[in-house]
Amino acid sequence: EKLAFQITNPETFGARPSGWNHGMLAEKGGRILFVAGQIVPVGNFVSQWDGALGRVLEVVRAAGGKAEDIGRMVVYTTDRLSYLANLTPLGEVHRKHMGKHYCAMAVVEVKSLMDSKALVEIEAVAVL
């Protein structure tokens, strides 16, 4: 039996977040899969996000999981303005890979990534 998450968005925080959740509580006893940061350092911002997220899902599937098993993602980007300018196509990329599953997520702007051509790196934690 697959484990499900209990979405946790405190009412005291106000409006429900869009495109992510504040917390994802996994059932006790699940196995945790830590997915290393994934990059695809070719193409534009959106195509790199698409490729990196696709690689994350490939690791999750290789371990026997699916998108809905991801409880947390951290996205590192070297270009916050590109993120903000591409919210609509990034939403399309998200739905392509994740469907309507919105995990806890952080997007962090960093000075650079280890591969100088990378604009986006995505890591994740899944419970299988």
Side-chain angles (χ1 to χ4, degrees):
E1 173 181 302
K2 285 293 190 181
L3 301 175
F5 289 101
Q6 176 186 324
I7 295 172
T8 306
N9 288 314
E11 289 182 19
T12 56
F13 285 10
R16 186 182 182 283
S18 177
W20 54 281
N21 284 295
H22 288 288
M24 302 290 284
L25 179 62
E27 292 293 325
K28 187 175 182 179
R31 296 182 311 146
I32 298 175
L33 172 66
F34 298 94
V35 181
Q38 300 296 313
I39 63 170
V40 177
V42 294
N44 65 23
F45 189 86
V46 173
S47 65
Q48 285 198 24
W49 187 298
D50 186 19
L53 186 53
R55 287 177 59 91
V56 165
L57 266 293
E58 196 170 328
V59 173
V60 171
R61 285 191 297 270
K66 59 188 183 308
E68 293 80 9
D69 295 322
I70 296 174
R72 177 177 188 262
M73 282 194 311
V74 179
V75 180
Y76 302 96
T77 176
T78 61
D79 191 348
R80 177 180 172 270
L81 294 179
S82 284
Y83 169 75
L84 294 173
N86 286 289
L87 291 176
T88 298
L90 291 174
E92 293 168 5
V93 166
H94 179 88
R95 287 184 295 281
K96 171 181 145 184
H97 292 286
M98 304 288 288
K100 292 184 179 183
H101 177 65
Y102 300 101
C103 60
M105 188 171 110
V107 179
V108 181
E109 184 179 39
V110 296
K111 181 178 176 180
S112 61
L113 295 167
M114 294 309 292
D115 185 314
S116 63
K117 294 177 188 148
L119 303 172
V120 175
E121 182 169 338
I122 303 176
E123 67 174 58
V125 178
V127 179
L128 310 178

